[in-house]
Every structure is written in structure tokens, then in C-alpha cells.
Amino acid sequence: MMKKLAIPTREGMVDDHFGHCAYYTIVTLNEQNQVMNQERLNSPEGCGCKSNIASVMQEMGITLMLAGNMGMGAYNKLSAHGISVIRGCHGMVDDVLKAYLNGELNDSQESCDHHDCNNHEEEPVYVIPSFKQ
């Protein structure tokens, strides 16, 4: 049976925060755990645990996520949609995928505890102009 997994991605790396990734790398594996297809799923705007991304992934047949970190809200939402999560993944997407295929990944069982979905305001950036003499 084919297996589909998702990896929160930013610039070819596993994004450390599931809910704010640029996109998801979706990988389809065959029965021998060989990569059959790799595609991109754009990330919805806003926080991951408030979006419909879990139901979209469930409809796509995704059953596993290789993630950096996420809050318990997101973890529980994915689990409720039949998606297992391995947290604590870091590095290039291809390296993390290879580690998974070699049986080298274990869930870190850590979640963000600072994440309550109310603190997503952007920090203001102050630019101090420099004056040429």
C-alpha cells in the first residue's frame, strides 16, 4: 500500500514551526519505501492549528508528518485526522526523508508550550537611518 507523508518546509529545510511553514513537501512512497512522487502543497495563511490543513491532508491520504516542532493544539488536530507526527526533525528535507526511510527518526515528544494562537502579531521593526557626512 502506498504511503503519503508531509514535511513542513521553508527553503528546502524542515521548518521548525509547523504552523508557519512556507509550504509542505508531500512525498508518496511505495510498498518498498521508495519515493514515487514528490509534490508541493502550499501552506494556508495563518496559524496551522486554526487552519483546515489537517483535513486537506487527510483527504489527500497523508498519514504521517515529519515535523520540526508544533504546539499540542496542532499535534492533537493532526492526530484526530489520522496523521501521525514525528517531531524534532531538523535539517534539509531530503536528509530528513532519508533518515526516516533508514528508520533513524524518533518522535522527540516535545511540543511548543509558548504557543496559544493569540500571539501572532508581527514585532515592529525599527529602522535607524544613517546619515552620510
Side-chain angles (χ1 to χ4, degrees), residues 60-72:
M60 292 176 68
I62 294 167
T63 57
L64 176 66
M65 180 175 289
L66 306 180
N69 209 341
M70 67 179 62
M72 283 308 295

Side-chain angles (χ1 to χ4, degrees), residues 117-132:
C117 282
N118 295 324
N119 290 328
H120 291 319
E121 295 81 33
E122 291 293 316
E123 288 292 317
V125 175
Y126 297 100
V127 177
I128 300 171
S130 60
F131 297 100
K132 291 189 176 165

Side-chain angles (χ1 to χ4, degrees), residues 6-8 14-21 24 47-49 53-54 57 64-79 83-90 107-117:
I7 306 172
V14 175
D15 195 310
D16 282 337
H17 200 302
F18 149 79
H20 298 283
C21 68
Y24 298 92
C47 176
C49 65
I53 195 65
M57 288 183 175
L64 176 66
M65 180 175 289
L66 306 180
N69 209 341
M70 67 179 62
M72 283 308 295
Y75 181 85
N76 291 337
K77 189 166 191 176
L78 289 165
S79 297
I83 300 170
S84 302
V85 181
I86 297 177
R87 294 164 290 188
C89 301
H90 299 287
D107 183 24
S108 69
Q109 298 185 347
E110 291 178 17
S111 62
C112 303
D113 57 3
H114 64 272
H115 188 70
D116 59 6
C117 282

Side-chain angles (χ1 to χ4, degrees), residues 3-81:
K3 176 190 255 182
K4 274 189 165 183
L5 57 91
I7 306 172
T9 307
R10 182 177 301 276
E11 297 174 4
M13 307 280 287
V14 175
D15 195 310
D16 282 337
H17 200 302
F18 149 79
H20 298 283
C21 68
Y23 60 94
Y24 298 92
T25 302
I26 308 300
V27 181
T28 304
L29 304 172
N30 68 9
E31 293 81 2
Q32 290 78 38
N33 263 355
Q34 296 168 313
V35 176
M36 300 305 295
N37 189 33
Q38 200 162 318
E39 57 192 310
R40 174 183 171 137
L41 171 63
N42 286 331
S43 180
E45 290 291 317
C47 176
C49 65
K50 298 266 175 130
S51 75
N52 67 338
I53 195 65
S55 58
V56 169
M57 288 183 175
Q58 183 181 36
E59 288 169 22
M60 292 176 68
I62 294 167
T63 57
L64 176 66
M65 180 175 289
L66 306 180
N69 209 341
M70 67 179 62
M72 283 308 295
Y75 181 85
N76 291 337
K77 189 166 191 176
L78 289 165
S79 297
H81 284 85

